[in-house]
Amino acid sequence: MARATAKKSSPASMAVFPGSFDPLTNGHVDIIERASEIFPQVIVAVLFNPSKESLFSQAERVALISKQFARYKGRVSVVSFSGLLVDFVQSTKSRVVIRGLRAISDFDYEAQMALINRKLAPKIETFFLTAREEHSYISSTVVKQVALLGGDVSKMVPKVVEQALSKKWQERQRLRRRPL
Ligand code: ADP
């Protein structure tokens, strides 16, 4: 009987899920969970982009994702990166980039990025996972807008993120009330 054998820790056993994660949403959580059912190890790579203003600092974004996935131990790891994605992926010895697709509107940009990355590093493949219907309206941008206006985001983000957003909202309220 033929038996398929997979070399332990072969490059395809690891996948990199890059993004801004400002902050982590239920949409991201679902993609990470589904990717970790396919790949033995998922590296969540949090992009440090100094030219883009973020609500959460780099360290805060990494800490929130690490907290959410603490029970996954070595199967999900969280790291920061800056610069070219393909350089980072190659430094991990992985060959797989995971991206989520919410709607057709995501497709143009994502396909362009995947093609550029292939030009830069032909061995790296981009795998797309479609968002669950119930998450397809969720984006970090919408979550921030709602939360900073004091709205309920409990159905859009994990508890740890909801608490962190509530702190940010309280800080902003305090600053607003401070006499000039
Ligand atoms: P980026 O700035 O790289 O797009 P994001 O944090 O916005 O960073 O998104 C990271 C990845 O997660 C992207 O592939 C994006 O398409 C995917 N994603 C974002 N929101 C959702 C969602 N609600 N469901 C599924 N995938 C999502």
Side-chain angles (χ1 to χ4, degrees), residues 4 13 20 26 31 34-36 47 67 71 81 86 92 113 117 123 134 136 158 161 173 177 180:
S13 66
S20 309
N26 286 345
I31 298 289
R34 285 160 56 202
S36 75
L47 175 66
K67 223 171 180 181
R71 69 198 152 89
F81 82 102
V86 288
T92 67
M113 289 313 295
N117 286 336
K123 285 223 161 82
E134 65 267 33
S136 57
V161 175
Q173 293 297 101
R177 275 193 239 111
L180 292 174

PDB file of all heavy atoms in Angstrom, residues 4 13 20 26 31 34-36 47 67 71 81 86 92 113 117 123 134 136 158 161 173 177 180:
ATOM      1  N   ALA A   4       1.747   8.137   1.846  1.00  0.00           N
ATOM      2  CA  ALA A   4       2.340   9.465   1.646  1.00  0.00           C
ATOM      3  C   ALA A   4       3.179   9.814   2.853  1.00  0.00           C
ATOM      4  O   ALA A   4       2.756   9.614   3.986  1.00  0.00           O
ATOM      5  CB  ALA A   4       1.245  10.506   1.462  1.00  0.00           C
ATOM      6  N   SER A  13       5.196  23.359   5.757  1.00  0.00           N
ATOM      7  CA  SER A  13       4.498  23.112   7.017  1.00  0.00           C
ATOM      8  C   SER A  13       4.264  24.426   7.767  1.00  0.00           C
ATOM      9  O   SER A  13       3.632  24.464   8.798  1.00  0.00           O
ATOM     10  CB  SER A  13       5.294  22.147   7.891  1.00  0.00           C
ATOM     11  OG  SER A  13       6.489  22.762   8.276  1.00  0.00           O
ATOM     12  N   SER A  20      -1.851  44.283   9.070  1.00  0.00           N
ATOM     13  CA  SER A  20      -1.667  45.387  10.014  1.00  0.00           C
ATOM     14  C   SER A  20      -2.260  45.025  11.381  1.00  0.00           C
ATOM     15  O   SER A  20      -1.756  45.440  12.419  1.00  0.00           O
ATOM     16  CB  SER A  20      -2.368  46.647   9.504  1.00  0.00           C
ATOM     17  OG  SER A  20      -1.989  46.913   8.179  1.00  0.00           O
ATOM     18  N   ASN A  26     -12.565  39.458  14.573  1.00  0.00           N
ATOM     19  CA  ASN A  26     -13.037  38.070  14.466  1.00  0.00           C
ATOM     20  C   ASN A  26     -12.761  37.494  13.080  1.00  0.00           C
ATOM     21  O   ASN A  26     -12.608  36.284  12.926  1.00  0.00           O
ATOM     22  CB  ASN A  26     -14.538  37.992  14.763  1.00  0.00           C
ATOM     23  CG  ASN A  26     -14.823  38.162  16.239  1.00  0.00           C
ATOM     24  OD1 ASN A  26     -13.918  38.064  17.069  1.00  0.00           O
ATOM     25  ND2 ASN A  26     -16.080  38.435  16.583  1.00  0.00           N
ATOM     26  N   ILE A  31      -9.536  33.345  10.110  1.00  0.00           N
ATOM     27  CA  ILE A  31      -8.552  32.963   9.087  1.00  0.00           C
ATOM     28  C   ILE A  31      -7.370  32.233   9.760  1.00  0.00           C
ATOM     29  O   ILE A  31      -6.894  31.200   9.273  1.00  0.00           O
ATOM     30  CB  ILE A  31      -8.030  34.204   8.302  1.00  0.00           C
ATOM     31  CG1 ILE A  31      -9.183  34.892   7.542  1.00  0.00           C
ATOM     32  CG2 ILE A  31      -6.887  33.832   7.359  1.00  0.00           C
ATOM     33  CD1 ILE A  31      -9.740  34.162   6.357  1.00  0.00           C
ATOM     34  N   ARG A  34      -8.500  28.716  10.803  1.00  0.00           N
ATOM     35  CA  ARG A  34      -8.640  27.805   9.650  1.00  0.00           C
ATOM     36  C   ARG A  34      -7.284  27.464   9.037  1.00  0.00           C
ATOM     37  O   ARG A  34      -7.038  26.326   8.644  1.00  0.00           O
ATOM     38  CB  ARG A  34      -9.591  28.416   8.622  1.00  0.00           C
ATOM     39  CG  ARG A  34     -11.049  28.303   9.083  1.00  0.00           C
ATOM     40  CD  ARG A  34     -11.967  29.279   8.385  1.00  0.00           C
ATOM     41  NE  ARG A  34     -11.938  29.176   6.956  1.00  0.00           N
ATOM     42  CZ  ARG A  34     -12.310  30.162   6.117  1.00  0.00           C
ATOM     43  NH1 ARG A  34     -12.730  31.320   6.610  1.00  0.00           N
ATOM     44  NH2 ARG A  34     -12.268  30.003   4.833  1.00  0.00           N
ATOM     45  N   ALA A  35      -6.390  28.453   8.981  1.00  0.00           N
ATOM     46  CA  ALA A  35      -5.048  28.186   8.428  1.00  0.00           C
ATOM     47  C   ALA A  35      -4.311  27.180   9.313  1.00  0.00           C
ATOM     48  O   ALA A  35      -3.596  26.305   8.815  1.00  0.00           O
ATOM     49  CB  ALA A  35      -4.259  29.489   8.321  1.00  0.00           C
ATOM     50  N   SER A  36      -4.533  27.279  10.622  1.00  0.00           N
ATOM     51  CA  SER A  36      -3.799  26.377  11.521  1.00  0.00           C
ATOM     52  C   SER A  36      -4.351  24.951  11.479  1.00  0.00           C
ATOM     53  O   SER A  36      -3.733  24.035  11.992  1.00  0.00           O
ATOM     54  CB  SER A  36      -3.785  26.921  12.959  1.00  0.00           C
ATOM     55  OG  SER A  36      -5.033  26.731  13.540  1.00  0.00           O
ATOM     56  N   LEU A  47       2.736  43.886  10.514  1.00  0.00           N
ATOM     57  CA  LEU A  47       3.538  44.845   9.746  1.00  0.00           C
ATOM     58  C   LEU A  47       3.784  46.137  10.522  1.00  0.00           C
ATOM     59  O   LEU A  47       2.842  46.752  11.040  1.00  0.00           O
ATOM     60  CB  LEU A  47       2.824  45.179   8.426  1.00  0.00           C
ATOM     61  CG  LEU A  47       3.480  46.264   7.575  1.00  0.00           C
ATOM     62  CD1 LEU A  47       4.842  45.792   7.051  1.00  0.00           C
ATOM     63  CD2 LEU A  47       2.586  46.652   6.402  1.00  0.00           C
ATOM     64  N   LYS A  67      -2.053  37.061  23.088  1.00  0.00           N
ATOM     65  CA  LYS A  67      -2.966  36.710  24.181  1.00  0.00           C
ATOM     66  C   LYS A  67      -4.101  35.828  23.637  1.00  0.00           C
ATOM     67  O   LYS A  67      -4.436  34.805  24.217  1.00  0.00           O
ATOM     68  CB  LYS A  67      -3.552  37.999  24.761  1.00  0.00           C
ATOM     69  CG  LYS A  67      -3.614  38.016  26.266  1.00  0.00           C
ATOM     70  CD  LYS A  67      -3.995  39.410  26.698  1.00  0.00           C
ATOM     71  CE  LYS A  67      -4.075  39.538  28.186  1.00  0.00           C
ATOM     72  NZ  LYS A  67      -4.462  40.888  28.578  1.00  0.00           N
ATOM     73  N   ARG A  71      -3.278  29.750  23.816  1.00  0.00           N
ATOM     74  CA  ARG A  71      -3.516  28.312  23.974  1.00  0.00           C
ATOM     75  C   ARG A  71      -3.047  27.497  22.767  1.00  0.00           C
ATOM     76  O   ARG A  71      -3.006  26.269  22.825  1.00  0.00           O
ATOM     77  CB  ARG A  71      -4.990  28.041  24.303  1.00  0.00           C
ATOM     78  CG  ARG A  71      -5.920  28.308  23.172  1.00  0.00           C
ATOM     79  CD  ARG A  71      -7.360  28.462  23.625  1.00  0.00           C
ATOM     80  NE  ARG A  71      -8.086  29.318  22.715  1.00  0.00           N
ATOM     81  CZ  ARG A  71      -8.729  28.894  21.643  1.00  0.00           C
ATOM     82  NH1 ARG A  71      -8.754  27.615  21.369  1.00  0.00           N
ATOM     83  NH2 ARG A  71      -9.338  29.734  20.837  1.00  0.00           N
ATOM     84  N   PHE A  81       7.217  42.565  11.707  1.00  0.00           N
ATOM     85  CA  PHE A  81       8.180  42.679  10.612  1.00  0.00           C
ATOM     86  C   PHE A  81       8.012  44.025   9.943  1.00  0.00           C
ATOM     87  O   PHE A  81       6.975  44.680  10.071  1.00  0.00           O
ATOM     88  CB  PHE A  81       8.030  41.526   9.609  1.00  0.00           C
ATOM     89  CG  PHE A  81       6.926  41.722   8.588  1.00  0.00           C
ATOM     90  CD1 PHE A  81       7.232  42.114   7.287  1.00  0.00           C
ATOM     91  CD2 PHE A  81       5.593  41.533   8.926  1.00  0.00           C
ATOM     92  CE1 PHE A  81       6.229  42.303   6.337  1.00  0.00           C
ATOM     93  CE2 PHE A  81       4.583  41.722   7.991  1.00  0.00           C
ATOM     94  CZ  PHE A  81       4.897  42.098   6.690  1.00  0.00           C
ATOM     95  N   VAL A  86       8.188  39.462   1.131  1.00  0.00           N
ATOM     96  CA  VAL A  86       8.895  38.257   0.641  1.00  0.00           C
ATOM     97  C   VAL A  86      10.227  38.050   1.372  1.00  0.00           C
ATOM     98  O   VAL A  86      10.621  36.913   1.612  1.00  0.00           O
ATOM     99  CB  VAL A  86       9.101  38.277  -0.892  1.00  0.00           C
ATOM    100  CG1 VAL A  86       7.797  38.056  -1.624  1.00  0.00           C
ATOM    101  CG2 VAL A  86       9.804  39.531  -1.363  1.00  0.00           C
ATOM    102  N   THR A  92      11.976  33.187   7.244  1.00  0.00           N
ATOM    103  CA  THR A  92      11.365  32.161   8.106  1.00  0.00           C
ATOM    104  C   THR A  92      11.504  30.765   7.500  1.00  0.00           C
ATOM    105  O   THR A  92      11.119  29.785   8.113  1.00  0.00           O
ATOM    106  CB  THR A  92       9.849  32.406   8.291  1.00  0.00           C
ATOM    107  OG1 THR A  92       9.202  32.195   7.031  1.00  0.00           O
ATOM    108  CG2 THR A  92       9.538  33.788   8.813  1.00  0.00           C
ATOM    109  N   MET A 113      -0.895  42.127  -5.474  1.00  0.00           N
ATOM    110  CA  MET A 113       0.175  41.888  -4.499  1.00  0.00           C
ATOM    111  C   MET A 113       0.771  40.491  -4.657  1.00  0.00           C
ATOM    112  O   MET A 113       1.989  40.302  -4.593  1.00  0.00           O
ATOM    113  CB  MET A 113      -0.349  42.051  -3.060  1.00  0.00           C
ATOM    114  CG  MET A 113      -0.664  43.465  -2.642  1.00  0.00           C
ATOM    115  SD  MET A 113       0.619  44.649  -3.059  1.00  0.00           S
ATOM    116  CE  MET A 113       1.964  44.088  -2.051  1.00  0.00           C
ATOM    117  N   ASN A 117       4.585  39.751  -5.553  1.00  0.00           N
ATOM    118  CA  ASN A 117       5.401  38.904  -4.678  1.00  0.00           C
ATOM    119  C   ASN A 117       5.990  37.719  -5.447  1.00  0.00           C
ATOM    120  O   ASN A 117       7.116  37.303  -5.193  1.00  0.00           O
ATOM    121  CB  ASN A 117       4.586  38.431  -3.473  1.00  0.00           C
ATOM    122  CG  ASN A 117       4.380  39.570  -2.478  1.00  0.00           C
ATOM    123  OD1 ASN A 117       5.164  40.524  -2.452  1.00  0.00           O
ATOM    124  ND2 ASN A 117       3.328  39.495  -1.683  1.00  0.00           N
ATOM    125  N   LYS A 123       9.246  31.339  -5.683  1.00  0.00           N
ATOM    126  CA  LYS A 123       8.934  30.104  -4.928  1.00  0.00           C
ATOM    127  C   LYS A 123       7.834  30.329  -3.887  1.00  0.00           C
ATOM    128  O   LYS A 123       7.286  29.387  -3.330  1.00  0.00           O
ATOM    129  CB  LYS A 123      10.197  29.597  -4.228  1.00  0.00           C
ATOM    130  CG  LYS A 123      11.181  28.948  -5.173  1.00  0.00           C
ATOM    131  CD  LYS A 123      11.751  27.673  -4.554  1.00  0.00           C
ATOM    132  CE  LYS A 123      12.351  26.753  -5.578  1.00  0.00           C
ATOM    133  NZ  LYS A 123      13.720  27.124  -5.956  1.00  0.00           N
ATOM    134  N   GLU A 134     -20.480  35.765   7.794  1.00  0.00           N
ATOM    135  CA  GLU A 134     -20.803  36.619   8.950  1.00  0.00           C
ATOM    136  C   GLU A 134     -19.663  37.573   9.318  1.00  0.00           C
ATOM    137  O   GLU A 134     -19.843  38.458  10.150  1.00  0.00           O
ATOM    138  CB  GLU A 134     -21.235  35.769  10.160  1.00  0.00           C
ATOM    139  CG  GLU A 134     -20.175  34.853  10.736  1.00  0.00           C
ATOM    140  CD  GLU A 134     -20.206  33.444  10.148  1.00  0.00           C
ATOM    141  OE1 GLU A 134     -20.537  33.284   8.961  1.00  0.00           O
ATOM    142  OE2 GLU A 134     -19.882  32.491  10.891  1.00  0.00           O
ATOM    143  N   SER A 136     -17.782  39.007   6.733  1.00  0.00           N
ATOM    144  CA  SER A 136     -17.366  39.688   5.500  1.00  0.00           C
ATOM    145  C   SER A 136     -17.535  41.210   5.585  1.00  0.00           C
ATOM    146  O   SER A 136     -16.940  41.935   4.805  1.00  0.00           O
ATOM    147  CB  SER A 136     -18.100  39.118   4.293  1.00  0.00           C
ATOM    148  OG  SER A 136     -19.470  39.244   4.517  1.00  0.00           O
ATOM    149  N   PRO A 158     -12.493  39.755  19.351  1.00  0.00           N
ATOM    150  CA  PRO A 158     -12.398  38.930  20.567  1.00  0.00           C
ATOM    151  C   PRO A 158     -12.425  39.808  21.824  1.00  0.00           C
ATOM    152  O   PRO A 158     -12.155  41.013  21.748  1.00  0.00           O
ATOM    153  CB  PRO A 158     -11.046  38.230  20.424  1.00  0.00           C
ATOM    154  CG  PRO A 158     -10.427  38.675  19.168  1.00  0.00           C
ATOM    155  CD  PRO A 158     -11.282  39.702  18.525  1.00  0.00           C
ATOM    156  N   VAL A 161      -9.579  42.205  22.711  1.00  0.00           N
ATOM    157  CA  VAL A 161      -9.519  43.405  21.864  1.00  0.00           C
ATOM    158  C   VAL A 161     -10.635  44.371  22.263  1.00  0.00           C
ATOM    159  O   VAL A 161     -10.427  45.591  22.323  1.00  0.00           O
ATOM    160  CB  VAL A 161      -9.614  43.022  20.364  1.00  0.00           C
ATOM    161  CG1 VAL A 161      -9.666  44.257  19.489  1.00  0.00           C
ATOM    162  CG2 VAL A 161      -8.441  42.137  19.961  1.00  0.00           C
ATOM    163  N   GLN A 173     -11.899  59.977  25.914  1.00  0.00           N
ATOM    164  CA  GLN A 173     -12.930  60.743  26.637  1.00  0.00           C
ATOM    165  C   GLN A 173     -12.272  61.648  27.676  1.00  0.00           C
ATOM    166  O   GLN A 173     -12.632  62.793  27.829  1.00  0.00           O
ATOM    167  CB  GLN A 173     -13.912  59.794  27.352  1.00  0.00           C
ATOM    168  CG  GLN A 173     -14.771  58.959  26.428  1.00  0.00           C
ATOM    169  CD  GLN A 173     -15.683  59.821  25.584  1.00  0.00           C
ATOM    170  OE1 GLN A 173     -15.414  60.078  24.415  1.00  0.00           O
ATOM    171  NE2 GLN A 173     -16.765  60.301  26.163  1.00  0.00           N
ATOM    172  N   ARG A 177     -12.240  65.809  27.954  1.00  0.00           N
ATOM    173  CA  ARG A 177     -12.787  66.532  29.101  1.00  0.00           C
ATOM    174  C   ARG A 177     -11.755  67.447  29.757  1.00  0.00           C
ATOM    175  O   ARG A 177     -12.084  68.293  30.561  1.00  0.00           O
ATOM    176  CB  ARG A 177     -13.335  65.547  30.126  1.00  0.00           C
ATOM    177  CG  ARG A 177     -14.776  65.144  29.796  1.00  0.00           C
ATOM    178  CD  ARG A 177     -15.415  64.419  30.962  1.00  0.00           C
ATOM    179  NE  ARG A 177     -15.843  63.096  30.541  1.00  0.00           N
ATOM    180  CZ  ARG A 177     -15.288  61.963  30.942  1.00  0.00           C
ATOM    181  NH1 ARG A 177     -14.302  61.965  31.787  1.00  0.00           N
ATOM    182  NH2 ARG A 177     -15.733  60.798  30.500  1.00  0.00           N
ATOM    183  N   LEU A 180      -8.516  73.130  28.591  1.00  0.00           N
ATOM    184  CA  LEU A 180      -7.406  73.593  27.732  1.00  0.00           C
ATOM    185  C   LEU A 180      -6.474  74.530  28.502  1.00  0.00           C
ATOM    186  O   LEU A 180      -6.865  75.223  29.386  1.00  0.00           O
ATOM    187  CB  LEU A 180      -7.945  74.292  26.483  1.00  0.00           C
ATOM    188  CG  LEU A 180      -8.677  73.390  25.503  1.00  0.00           C
ATOM    189  CD1 LEU A 180      -9.303  74.231  24.383  1.00  0.00           C
ATOM    190  CD2 LEU A 180      -7.745  72.342  24.897  1.00  0.00           C
TER     191      LEU A 180
END
